[in-house]
Amino acid sequence: MKLPPLKSLSFFLAAARNKSFKSAAQELFVTQAAVSQQIRLLEENLQCQLFIRDSKQTLLSTEGERLFPFIENAFSQISQGISLLSAEPDPNVLKITSLHSFTSLILIPKVNTFQLMCPEIMLQFSPSNQVVDFKDNSVDIAIRRGKGIYPGLESRQLIKDEVVLVASPLLFKDAFPPIDELVKTPLLLDISSDITPAFEQFCSEYRLSAQDFEIGLQTTDAVPVVERALSGQGMCFVSKSLVFERLNEGTLINLFDFSARSPISLFLVAPPKNFQWEKVKKFEAWLNVLFNSG
C-alpha cells in the first residue's frame, strides 16, 4: 500500500493531539485553512473520515482513533532516531585534530589552562596536516589554517592571522638592529604558502633580496623553525598565531615590528551539529579567551 504524504500525517498528529485545527495551526506556524486542507487530502487518500467536526470542538472519528496511536508512535520513533544521530557522543571526551605546529606550539603547552577550567573534559589530540571528513566520528572538532572554505562543514575564524619576523632576545637586545647585522643572522626559513610572500614583502620594504640573507634552515614545518629561534639559533618569519604567547612573555621579539597580513587564517572546523555540543562550546570559548588575551 502506498503511504500518504508525511506532511499530511504530521498535520493529522498535531490536530489529533490538540483536538483543534486552530491550535494545530498555531503549533505548526501555518494557517487553519492549511491544516484543514492537509486533513482533507489525507482523508481522501485513506478514503475515510478522520475527524468529527462541529462548531465547538474537533474530535477524532472511530477511524481517527484507530490511526492516532500508530502515527504518534511513528513520529516518536523518527524523533528518537534523529536524536541519536545528533546527540553528543562521549560528553567528557573531546577528540581534536589539529596541525602538527599548532598542537606542539599552542595546544600542548596550554592544555593545563583548559583542564583547570573544564576538569570534567579529557582532550584527545590527533595531530595531522590532512583535512578530515568527520564521517567515522573519530574526531569531534578540527583546527585548520586556510580560507575557511570546507564543503559540508562549518568553519569559525579564531584569529585574523599575520606573519611576523621574530628572534630571541639572546640574538638581538634591540628590536631594530642594523640591517647589515640582521642579514648576517641565520634565517630559519619556512617556505609555506603564506610565509614566502611575507619574506618578499620584508625584502621590498628594506630594499633587500633573498640572496642577502644567510639561510640557516629551510623547511615547511614551523615547529623546528620556532624551536631554533627560541634557542637563539636564528630568526624566522612565522604565523603570529603560533608565537603570540612567546611574544607576550618576551622569549621572542618582533623585529622591526614587522607584520604582513596572511591570506589564510586559523579556523575551528566541524559539522554544524558538533558546534551545539557542550564540550565543543567550552573548547571554543577557551580558544577565544586564549587568543583575545594575546
Side-chain angles (χ1 to χ4, degrees):
M1 179 181 178
K2 185 178 179 181
L3 292 176
L6 188 63
K7 182 178 180 179
S8 294
L9 293 173
S10 68
F11 277 55
F12 166 78
L13 180 61
R17 270 202 312 251
N18 288 283
K19 297 181 180 179
S20 164
F21 284 10
K22 181 178 180 181
S23 298
Q26 292 172 345
E27 177 184 318
L28 298 169
F29 298 101
V30 297
T31 64
Q32 187 172 337
V35 174
S36 297
Q37 181 185 28
Q38 288 297 322
I39 298 301
R40 185 167 58 255
L41 290 173
L42 181 61
E43 289 176 330
E44 291 175 358
N45 185 285
L46 298 176
Q47 296 184 350
C48 65
Q49 185 178 353
L50 298 173
F51 290 92
I52 300 171
R53 305 163 177 84
D54 61 34
S55 59
K56 294 183 179 180
Q57 57 183 341
T58 302
L59 300 175
L60 286 169
S61 67
T62 301
E63 290 80 1
E65 290 280 3
R66 292 171 59 189
L67 179 63
F68 174 65
F70 292 98
I71 301 304
E72 185 177 42
N73 183 61
F75 275 91
S76 176
Q77 291 291 313
I78 292 172
S79 179
Q80 290 177 35
I82 297 299
S83 296
L84 283 176
L85 292 179
S86 59
E88 178 178 355
D90 299 324
N92 296 323
V93 178
L94 180 62
K95 294 171 286 188
I96 305 160
T97 181
S98 175
L99 299 168
H100 286 284
S101 56
F102 192 80
T103 303
S104 298
L105 298 172
I106 300 295
L107 289 181
I108 292 177
K110 301 297 292 184
V111 68
N112 65 308
T113 64
F114 178 81
Q115 298 294 185
L116 287 172
M117 187 177 78
C118 303
E120 76 283 3
I121 300 175
M122 180 177 69
L123 300 183
Q124 292 183 353
F125 300 127
S126 299
S128 173
N129 291 338
Q130 302 299 316
V131 178
V132 298
D133 58 17
F134 291 91
K135 289 182 179 179
D136 60 1
N137 296 319
S138 61
V139 171
D140 297 319
I141 200 81
I143 299 173
R144 287 286 173 261
R145 293 189 75 231
K147 296 185 178 181
I149 303 172
Y150 303 96
L153 301 174
E154 181 176 347
S155 59
R156 298 185 180 184
Q157 191 176 58
L158 293 170
I159 186 173
K160 289 185 178 180
D161 217 347
E162 54 190 313
V163 176
V164 291
L165 176 60
V166 301
S168 167
L170 297 172
L171 280 181
F172 301 106
K173 300 299 181 183
D174 186 354
F176 295 85
I179 291 294
D180 58 349
E181 181 182 341
L182 181 83
V183 295
K184 293 177 182 176
T185 303
L187 177 61
L188 311 169
L189 188 58
D190 179 353
I191 56 173
S192 299
S193 61
D194 61 330
I195 302 298
T196 301
F199 179 31
E200 294 171 349
Q201 179 181 325
F202 181 85
C203 289
S204 175
E205 289 182 11
Y206 289 91
R207 298 182 180 180
L208 297 168
S209 69
Q211 290 70 36
D212 293 325
F213 290 84
E214 177 187 336
I215 305 298
L217 173 69
Q218 187 166 298
T219 180
T220 56
D221 187 350
V223 175
V225 166
V226 173
E227 288 178 343
R228 293 191 185 195
L230 284 166
S231 63
Q233 297 181 51
M235 59 184 178
C236 65
F237 292 91
V238 65
S239 166
K240 190 175 181 180
S241 64
L242 296 178
V243 296
F244 71 93
E245 283 277 301
R246 303 296 189 176
L247 292 170
N248 289 342
E249 67 190 18
T251 53
L252 288 175
I253 56 176
N254 185 186
L255 296 175
F256 298 95
D257 286 335
F258 173 79
S259 70
R261 177 55 58 86
S262 174
I264 59 180
S265 297
L266 204 63
F267 288 89
L268 203 57
V269 182
K273 65 181 176 62
N274 292 26
F275 283 101
Q276 303 304 312
W277 298 344
E278 283 303 313
K279 61 185 180 182
V280 172
K281 290 180 181 179
K282 290 178 179 179
F283 184 66
E284 182 181 12
W286 173 71
L287 285 175
N288 285 325
V289 169
L290 185 66
F291 283 113
N292 287 333
S293 67

